[in-house]
């Protein structure tokens, strides 16, 4: 590291303990103690799941916008979306239509709706968004995105021409879709789906069979929802002229299919979209080291998680990558190429509760170990 080295810190949050910003702060403090004169750049990271809006707002220099929308059962709830520079918006559907908004006894995907997610999209369009990214994990819904599209002006009609609300139970009754009132700004806006599942809309691997039980559905309700979704899929195909029972369409209770059909949304990896929005390849240019991390690394880390995405970008850029993680399984290192070294924060056998309560202290110690070794290596080299 001749001259003044440049470090990039691009960690996921450590759920419930440290934010991405906390990790970057602790890494920078250790780096400046052991490598005087270094340059440090923080890029908060997420993979399209919880915390993605906050991470992208922090990384891209945007701001959070709070609006009152409908929760999955139609009650008012405050939700936030991110407005990024250059007319880009980032929305987590879970902020309006997520499972944590319901009490255990309220979970019923026949009754829940994504209407509030549509209200968030409308708010972003009102704010001037020309490019909208939807992170669609954690839904409480199984309505195929019908409620969301109704909030944007589409009308879902039964055989008598009566308008339906667009909840899960309504899918079997939809006979036609009236697009004449669909917000015209939709056609002028680019929509992207952060989608890391490849479930189709229907069948044993579809939205209803795989995810509805997590949202309160009994086996009988799953059968009813899947039959309703099949009817909805037929109506979508008649309306838009193509089949939407495709990989990714079953994400978020079928919101994937609805967004593809009504919004023309393009589905892709959440991590890839985050890297694109943060212009991460540009940030890496000229870096001497990148430090990434997450709460626990295991074989699943390779499946679209932050560490794997950052490590791949570093490998492509020729930048060494180190992962500082809360803990790791024995198969983590073998499953994630591109990580030059793994640094677990745990320093002794301790109960998980203690490790979580001491997360900042343990991370700071791991950062000290990492940069003291780097400084030693520089002296020996």
């Amino acid at each position: 590291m001749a001259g003044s080295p440049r470090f990039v810190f691009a960690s996921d949050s450590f759920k419930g303990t440290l934010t991405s910003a906390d990790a970057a702060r602790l890494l920078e403090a250790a780096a400046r103690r052991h490598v005087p004169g270094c340059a440090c750049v923080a890029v908060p990271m997420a993979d399209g799941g919880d915390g993605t809006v906050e991470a992208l707002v922090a990384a891209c220099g945007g701001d959070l916008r709070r609006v009152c929308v409908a929760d999955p059962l139609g009650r008012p709830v405050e939700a936030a979306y991110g407005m990024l520079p250059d007319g880009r918006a980032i929305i987590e559907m879970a902020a309006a239509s997520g499972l944590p908004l319901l009490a255990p006894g309220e979970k019923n995907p026949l009754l829940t709706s994504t209407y509030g997610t549509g209200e968030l999209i409308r708010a972003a369009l009102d704010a001037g968004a020309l490019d909208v990214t939807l992170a669609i994990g954690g839904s409480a819904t199984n309505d195929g995105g019908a409620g969301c599209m109704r909030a944007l002006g589409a009308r879902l009609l039964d055989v008598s021409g009566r308008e339906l609300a667009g909840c899960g139970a309504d899918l079997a009754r939809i006979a036609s879709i009236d697009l004449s009132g669909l917000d015209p700004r939709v056609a002028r806006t680019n929509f992207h789906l952060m989608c890391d599942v490849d479930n189709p809309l229907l069948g044993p691997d579809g939205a209803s069979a795989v995810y509805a039980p997590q949202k309160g559905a009994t086996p009988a309700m799953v059968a009813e929802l899947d039959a309703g979704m099949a009817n909805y899929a037929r109506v979508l195909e008649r309306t838009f002229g193509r089949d939407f029972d495709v990989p990714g369409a079953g994400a978020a209770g079928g919101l994937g299919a609805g967004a593809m059909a009504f919004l023309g949304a393009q589905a892709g990896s959440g991590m890839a979209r985050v890297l694109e929005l943060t212009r991460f390849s540009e940030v890496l240019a000229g870096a001497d080291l990148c430090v990434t991390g997450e709460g626990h690394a295991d074989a699943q880390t390779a499946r679209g998680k932050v560490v794997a995405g950052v490590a791949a970008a570093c490998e492509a850029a020729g930048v060494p990558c180190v992962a500082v993680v809360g803990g790791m399984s024995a198969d983590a290192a073998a499953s994630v190429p591109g990580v030059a070294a793994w640094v677990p924060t745990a320093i002794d056998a301790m109960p998980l509760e203690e490790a979580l309560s001491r997360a900042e202290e343990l991370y700071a110690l791991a950062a000290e170990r990492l940069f003291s070794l780097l400084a030693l290596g520089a002296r020996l080299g």
Side-chain angles (χ1 to χ4, degrees):
M1 293 184 293
S4 298
R6 182 170 177 270
F7 302 131
V8 174
F9 304 139
S11 179
D12 197 357
S13 62
F14 285 43
K15 300 296 186 289
T17 55
L18 298 175
T19 66
S20 298
D22 290 332
R25 171 177 52 82
L26 296 169
L27 288 167
E28 181 171 355
R32 295 197 182 284
R33 272 192 293 274
H34 294 283
V35 190
C38 65
C40 300
V41 179
V43 186
M45 279 288 153
D47 58 14
D50 182 47
T52 296
V53 166
E54 289 82 356
L56 283 172
V57 164
C60 300
D63 61 278
L64 286 176
R65 308 284 179 91
R66 300 188 182 278
V67 291
C68 184
V69 299
D71 81 353
L73 291 174
R75 302 168 298 200
V77 64
E78 185 180 75
Y81 69 94
M83 198 67 194
L84 309 181
D86 303 321
R88 297 170 296 159
I90 174 73
I91 293 170
E92 287 179 35
M93 70 89 64
S97 310
L99 204 54
L101 296 173
L102 300 180
E106 295 177 332
K107 297 176 182 178
N108 186 336
L110 288 170
L111 303 179
T112 52
S113 163
T114 53
Y115 191 90
T117 296
E119 291 181 302
L120 280 178
I121 295 172
R122 195 171 66 218
L125 297 178
D126 289 343
L130 298 172
D131 184 282
V132 176
T133 296
L134 293 171
I136 59 172
S139 76
T141 57
N142 201 89
D143 69 348
C148 175
M149 304 314 154
R150 183 168 170 265
L152 291 170
R155 297 176 70 234
L156 315 167
L157 308 175
D158 67 11
V159 292
S160 301
R162 289 188 293 264
E163 186 171 1
L164 301 168
C167 60
D170 284 341
L171 296 181
R173 301 168 55 203
I174 298 174
S176 62
I177 297 171
D178 178 4
L179 297 173
S180 62
L182 185 67
D183 193 319
R185 296 174 296 182
V186 165
R188 304 192 295 268
T189 305
N190 294 317
F191 288 91
H192 311 266
L193 293 179
M194 286 183 169
C195 179
D196 287 301
V197 302
D198 58 4
N199 300 82
L201 191 59
L202 308 173
D205 297 320
S208 305
V210 175
Y211 298 112
Q214 304 167 12
K215 304 168 187 181
T218 64
M221 290 165 65
V222 168
E224 179 181 352
L225 288 164
D226 195 48
M229 197 72 81
N231 174 68
Y232 179 60
R234 289 190 293 270
V235 176
L236 288 180
E237 186 170 5
R238 286 201 306 270
T239 304
F240 296 97
R242 54 166 286 204
D243 179 15
F244 291 97
D245 186 18
V246 297
L255 177 59
M260 293 174 193
F262 291 83
L263 307 179
Q266 301 296 312
S269 159
M271 189 65 234
R273 182 63 177 158
V274 169
L275 294 173
E276 178 186 347
L277 287 170
T278 58
R279 296 184 171 92
F280 192 64
S281 61
E282 297 175 22
V283 177
L284 280 179
D288 294 282
L289 176 73
C290 177
V291 184
T292 186
E294 61 189 32
H296 189 269
D298 53 31
Q300 293 300 308
T301 297
R303 300 174 63 88
K305 300 298 185 182
V306 165
V307 168
V310 170
C314 289
E315 193 168 39
V319 175
C321 179
V322 172
V324 178
V325 296
M328 60 184 291
S329 63
D331 56 1
S335 64
V336 185
V339 178
W342 295 82
V343 183
T345 63
I347 56 175
D348 202 352
M350 64 180 65
L352 176 61
E353 294 76 11
E354 181 182 355
L356 294 175
S357 68
R358 297 175 59 191
E360 182 162 347
E361 172 197 353
L362 294 174
Y363 193 96
L365 289 171
E368 287 289 327
R369 294 198 301 276
L370 169 60
F371 284 101
S372 62
L373 286 170
L374 282 174
L376 175 61
R379 288 199 299 272
L380 293 175

